Each structure stands twice: as structure tokens, then as C-alpha cells.
Amino acid sequence: MSSLLRATFITLALLSAAGCTSKPVLNPHSELPAGTQVSEEKMKQVIVNALQKREWTVQRLSPQLVQAEITVRGQYHAEIDIHYTRSSYAITYRDSRDLGYKDGKIHRNYNRWVNNLDNDIMAGLRSNGVSGEAGSAAQLFEQTGTSK
């Protein structure tokens, strides 16, 4: 095989690998440590603070549900639902634009945004007296590549 043909194949392989940015949608579900609870109002406030910190826009606040959206660089848009109780919360994908969502897969940046949000919510809960790690789905995803 000529070196030009070999270089062409290698270049095509590298470009194909670089284009693979879709990952399974991350839907973290986090439980507080056993016996630990916060008020629903405190849980809602921690979630809203984390959303604001990460520049998500709160669309709707209702008991046990926060809906939010983010638009990055005026183009990439994602919408999520955050269901919460006194002892848990779950971030779930609702909709998106220009993030290549198809068959349960989405651009990896969406997962990064959601993982950062999950980490900020847990940090907010810890700063409000919740101790220990809750074993979030995001951590499970990082370890295994799958979610709960």
C-alpha cells in the first residue's frame, strides 16, 4: 500500500472518530443519604441557585418540579425537567435544538452541562447541611457509561 493511500485512510479514520460526539442522554437521579431530608422549599431553592449559577433560565416553578432551559452561543438549546422531593431529585431531558438528539443519544456537551448542574446541586445541598455522597447517577454514568 502506498504511503499516500495509507495517509488518506488514517486521515479518514481520525476524522470519523473526531465526529463521534453523540453519547447516551444523561438523566441523573440523586438520593440524599439515608435518613437525610431537607424541606421541599430548600431543595427548590438549591436547584434554582444551581441553575442560575450555570446560566440556565427557569421556565416554570411548581411544587416538586422545576423546568429550565439553556441556549449556548445563541444556537445550542436544551430543556430539562427537575423533579424533586425532600430526599431526592432527578434531572431529565425534555427537548433540544442543534444538539443532534436521536435515539436516546445527544451531543456530549449536553451531558457535560447536566453533569455540572448535578454537581452544583449536590454542592448546594452539602453547604446546607447535607453530608456524605448520595451516589448520583452522574457519578454512576462516569464510572460505567450507563445511567440508572
Side-chain angles (χ1 to χ4, degrees), residues 4 7 11 13 17-18 21 30 32 36 38 41 46 48 63 66 76-77 82 98 113-114 116 123 128 133 138:
L4 179 60
T11 302
T21 59
S30 298
L32 299 184
T36 305
V38 296
E41 186 60 34
V46 167
V48 168
V66 177
Y76 306 102
H77 180 82
I82 305 175
D98 294 330
W113 302 337
V114 169
N116 288 340
N128 279 283
E133 270 306 311

Side-chain angles (χ1 to χ4, degrees), residues 100-119:
Y101 177 82
K102 185 177 179 184
D103 300 327
K105 294 189 175 191
I106 197 163
H107 193 282
R108 65 181 175 213
N109 284 350
Y110 169 83
N111 286 343
R112 184 173 45 83
W113 302 337
V114 169
N115 188 50
N116 288 340
L117 181 59
D118 182 35
N119 289 337

Side-chain angles (χ1 to χ4, degrees), residues 3 12 14 18 23 45 51 59 68-69 85 115 118 134 136 144:
S3 21
L12 286 175
L14 290 174
K23 302 289 180 192
Q45 191 58 49
L51 287 165
Q59 295 174 296
E69 67 182 356
T85 66
N115 188 50
D118 182 35
S136 73
T144 65

Side-chain angles (χ1 to χ4, degrees), residues 53-110:
K53 176 183 176 188
R54 292 289 172 179
E55 299 181 2
W56 289 77
T57 302
V58 174
Q59 295 174 296
R60 181 175 167 211
L61 285 172
S62 59
Q64 300 185 339
L65 174 66
V66 177
Q67 293 183 318
E69 67 182 356
I70 191 169
T71 302
V72 178
R73 290 188 291 263
Q75 178 179 357
Y76 306 102
H77 180 82
E79 297 178 11
I80 57 172
D81 290 337
I82 305 175
H83 295 272
Y84 64 92
T85 66
R86 294 173 49 130
S87 60
S88 68
Y89 66 91
I91 304 170
T92 55
Y93 171 87
R94 186 163 28 105
D95 196 16
S96 64
R97 283 191 315 272
D98 294 330
L99 288 170
Y101 177 82
K102 185 177 179 184
D103 300 327
K105 294 189 175 191
I106 197 163
H107 193 282
R108 65 181 175 213
N109 284 350
Y110 169 83

